[in-house]
């Protein structure tokens, strides 16, 4: 797989995201524990496996810049609307403090990273929601960044790839968060009307307002193995319909079997699959 990492002159937030992966040379062997099987494996084995557990195959959450580095051709990454910060439209108690913690943890100012770059020589617009920042929840800034990137793709007639990961609406922004569903969906509709190719790539977890808007509107819908994908959580559904849900309900494999997801794509095949799809459609 290619990487866009050809210089060390990235902004601090990019360096933070990639630091664990590429930049830092460890003096001692470093082990990473899997949250699913609790087994430890060498960091370099995790790296070789694109942060899929070398023991049990569990998909670890990865940063937005790292994901972009796995799909974009070397040296072609160019960020769109970088540095756009969250707003606090409802002056929600403690919201700003919570945002600060998320930024310290991830190096990101917000949950969405939008960029242009080339995939196998084809210029694309790529949007990544980073589940490590506030569960990738949809704030007004996330919605605005997504909308602007989609509009850019429409204007420049570029294929659009969106990696969704979201816990749903950003509660602290109330109705301003919910409005993003209509806004992003309308931007995708205009993109469709202009004849663009939109590949929606669902990663763990994709839920709530993101599922109910742009994540479900792809011409082609791909998903990572084992990802939770749905609108409401299983407990809410069971309490509403008073029935037990089938096993594996809302996981990518179940959704592939029932036609909601076109193909499950392992992380190691992500870039090649995207190249193939783009070439088929251009
Ligand atoms: Zn594991």
């Amino acid at each position: 797989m290619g990487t866009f990492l050809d210089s060390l002159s990235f902004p601090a937030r990019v360096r933070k995201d990639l630091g664990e992966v590429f930049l830092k040379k460890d003096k001692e062997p470093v082990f990473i524990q899997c949250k699913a099987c609790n087994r430890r494996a060498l960091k370099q084995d995790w790296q070789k496996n694109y942060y899929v557990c070398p023991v049990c195959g569990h998909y670890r959450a990865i940063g937005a810049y790292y994901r972009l580095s796995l799909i974009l051709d070397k040296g072609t990454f160019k960020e769109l609307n970088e540095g756009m910060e969250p707003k606090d439209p409802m002056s929600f108690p403690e919201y700003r403090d919570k945002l600060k913690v998320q930024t310290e943890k991830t190096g990101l100012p917000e949950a969405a990273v939008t960029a242009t770059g080339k995939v196998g020589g084809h210029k694309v617009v790529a949007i990544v929601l980073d589940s490590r920042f506030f569960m990738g929840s949809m704030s007004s800034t996330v919605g605005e960044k997504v909308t602007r990137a989609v509009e850019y793709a429409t204007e420049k007639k570029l294929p659009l790839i969106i990696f969704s990961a979201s816990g749903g609406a950003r509660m602290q922004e109330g109705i301003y968060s919910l409005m993003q569903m209509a806004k992003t969906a309308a931007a995708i509709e205009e993109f469709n009307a202009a004849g663009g190719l939109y590949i929606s790539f669902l990663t763990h977890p994709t839920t709530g307002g993101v599922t109910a808007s742009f994540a479900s509107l792809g011409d082609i819908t791909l998903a990572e193995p084992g990802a939770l994908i749905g609108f409401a959580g299983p407990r809410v559904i069971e309490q509403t319909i008073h029935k037990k849900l089938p096993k594996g309900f809302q996981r990518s494999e179940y959704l592939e079997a029932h036609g909601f997801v076109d193909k499950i794509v392992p992380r190691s095949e992500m870039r090649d699959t995207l190249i193939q799809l783009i070439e088929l459609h251009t």
Side-chain angles (χ1 to χ4, degrees):
M1 263 199 248
T3 162
F4 68 107
L5 226 153
D6 49 3
S7 89
L8 298 183
S9 58
F10 287 107
R13 64 183 181 284
V14 183
R15 292 179 61 87
K16 182 154 186 152
D17 190 10
L18 296 176
E20 185 184 6
V21 186
F22 295 113
L23 305 177
K24 216 168 58 196
K25 291 275 172 278
D26 304 309
K27 288 185 192 89
E28 313 256 306
V30 175
F31 288 90
I32 296 176
Q33 188 174 23
C34 173
K35 281 181 187 155
C37 69
N38 290 324
R39 298 279 294 275
R40 297 188 327 150
L42 267 175
K43 188 175 109 176
Q44 64 214 55
D45 291 336
W46 279 90
Q47 285 174 2
K48 267 186 250 160
N49 229 15
Y50 310 108
Y51 287 83
V52 176
C53 174
V55 182
C56 75
H58 172 74
Y59 273 58
R60 193 171 186 256
I62 54 173
Y65 292 105
Y66 173 57
R67 190 179 289 280
L68 287 167
S69 80
L70 294 180
I71 65 155
L72 295 180
D73 300 352
K74 196 170 175 171
T76 64
F77 165 79
K78 192 168 170 284
E79 191 161 357
L80 298 171
N81 297 302
E82 71 262 42
M84 262 178 78
E85 289 187 7
K87 298 194 175 78
D88 183 10
M90 320 235 320
S91 303
F92 198 90
E94 294 168 34
Y95 181 35
R96 285 193 184 278
D97 297 335
K98 284 185 177 155
L99 285 169
K100 225 179 270 171
V101 173
Q102 299 298 314
T103 297
E104 276 162 23
K105 188 177 79 182
T106 60
L108 299 169
E110 244 303 355
V113 174
T114 58
T116 61
K118 286 183 179 173
V119 180
H122 305 280
K123 198 167 179 197
V124 301
V125 169
I127 300 171
V128 187
L129 265 62
D130 194 320
S131 66
R132 303 167 313 147
F133 189 101
F134 241 121
M135 274 319 286
S137 52
M138 180 124 86
S139 66
S140 48
T141 301
V142 168
E144 181 64 20
K145 285 187 87 169
V146 170
T147 303
R148 286 190 195 185
V150 173
E151 286 172 349
Y152 183 85
T154 309
E155 191 196 314
K156 304 282 182 194
K157 300 192 184 310
L158 296 173
L160 174 69
I161 306 165
I162 305 183
F163 291 93
S164 290
S166 185
R170 180 91 44 94
M171 238 173 45
Q172 290 84 348
E173 294 193 20
I175 189 72
Y176 295 93
S177 168
L178 297 180
M179 281 160 60
Q180 307 310 313
M181 291 167 63
K183 188 168 85 181
T184 53
I188 297 283
E189 183 51 37
E190 277 179 27
F191 177 81
N192 274 335
L197 167 69
Y198 166 28
I199 302 171
S200 176
F201 208 125
L202 311 175
T203 68
H204 179 75
T206 299
T207 63
V210 167
T211 306
S213 60
F214 58 86
S216 298
L217 296 173
D219 298 307
I220 298 166
T221 305
L222 308 176
E224 278 198 331
L228 174 74
I229 299 159
F231 179 61
R235 235 182 320 160
V236 175
I237 301 176
E238 283 183 350
Q239 283 167 8
T240 309
I241 63 170
H242 303 292
K243 273 185 188 161
K244 265 256 155 286
L245 292 169
K247 202 170 177 284
F249 182 72
Q250 291 183 320
R251 293 285 162 181
S252 11
E253 292 73 11
Y254 184 92
L255 294 170
E256 187 195 36
H258 291 79
F260 184 83
V261 166
D262 295 311
K263 194 177 189 319
I264 294 176
V265 180
R267 217 169 258 170
S268 56
E269 294 168 19
M270 184 165 65
R271 177 176 149 87
D272 289 345
T273 304
L274 290 172
I275 293 173
Q276 214 179 10
L277 288 172
I278 293 165
E279 285 181 353
L280 269 172
H281 287 83
T282 44

